[in-house]
Amino acid sequence: MKKIITYGTFDLLHWGHVRLLERAKELGDHLTVALSTDEFNLLKHKEAYHSFEHRKYILEAIKYVDEVIPETDWEQKTTDIDLYDIDIFVMGDDWTGKFDFLKSQCEVIYLNRTDGISTTSIKKDLKE
Ligand code: C2G
């Protein structure tokens, strides 16, 4: 069974997120999402609208997602890949190159981001 992992906040889940999850799942048989906790989001200078529990609940309803685990720090990727027996690490290409150090453990694939949608733009548009 080919296992995929991806990481993120996935706040105000939108079709750009879903397209990433869909394409990640297509690369194998099982997709784990490491979801940023509210505390870790502070380290990413992000404040999610939905709590971790609610973002987890929403992601678990997505047919491409098989498992949701917490992302609590920057350093856990190396252990996660061994712990969960991951074959492919996937991120959007805004992260291109940033996780190449994982190539010694698994395949690293950056998928192109979906243009025209982002959680930031949703928040901005709703403010106007
Ligand atoms: N994404 C995308 N297209 C968009 C918006 C997001 O493909 N229009 C992708 C991002 O590239 C990322 C994933 O969806 O791979 C989740 O996006 P975020 O929640 O913004 O993730 P981020 O805050 O970048 O967290 O350790 C890694 C970090 O936790 C990544």
Side-chain angles (χ1 to χ4, degrees), residues 7 71 74-81 89 99 102 105:
Y7 292 71
E71 178 186 31
W74 289 111
E75 290 70 41
Q76 70 184 77
K77 295 182 178 68
T78 302
T79 26
D80 288 347
I81 286 162
F89 169 91
F99 301 113
L102 297 170
Q105 292 179 260

Side-chain angles (χ1 to χ4, degrees), residues 40-74:
F40 182 55
N41 274 330
L42 293 176
L43 296 183
K44 293 193 324 186
H45 310 298
K46 270 193 164 183
E47 194 182 344
Y49 179 80
H50 293 307
S51 68
F52 172 79
E53 284 312 316
H54 286 156
R55 288 182 283 116
K56 180 169 183 288
Y57 178 65
I58 293 167
L59 274 181
E60 285 171 341
I62 303 291
K63 63 182 176 181
Y64 306 117
V65 177
D66 297 290
E67 184 177 13
V68 179
I69 62 169
E71 178 186 31
T72 57
D73 58 64
W74 289 111

Side-chain angles (χ1 to χ4, degrees), residues 7-10 14 16-17 20 36 40 44 46 71 74 77 91-92 94-95 99 113-114 117:
Y7 292 71
T9 298
F10 292 99
H14 55 66
H17 291 135
L20 188 282
S36 308
F40 182 55
K44 293 193 324 186
K46 270 193 164 183
E71 178 186 31
W74 289 111
K77 295 182 178 68
M91 284 304 291
D94 46 319
W95 292 93
F99 301 113
R113 273 176 76 92
T114 303
I117 183 72

Side-chain angles (χ1 to χ4, degrees), residues 83-123:
L83 192 62
Y84 296 95
D85 195 19
I86 299 298
D87 300 290
I88 307 177
F89 169 91
V90 173
M91 284 304 291
D93 63 2
D94 46 319
W95 292 93
T96 298
K98 298 286 187 308
F99 301 113
D100 288 357
F101 64 90
L102 297 170
K103 285 183 175 174
S104 58
Q105 292 179 260
C106 65
E107 233 185 295
V108 173
I109 294 180
Y110 301 103
L111 299 172
N112 59 341
R113 273 176 76 92
T114 303
D115 290 333
I117 183 72
S118 73
T119 305
T120 313
S121 64
I122 294 170
K123 287 181 180 173

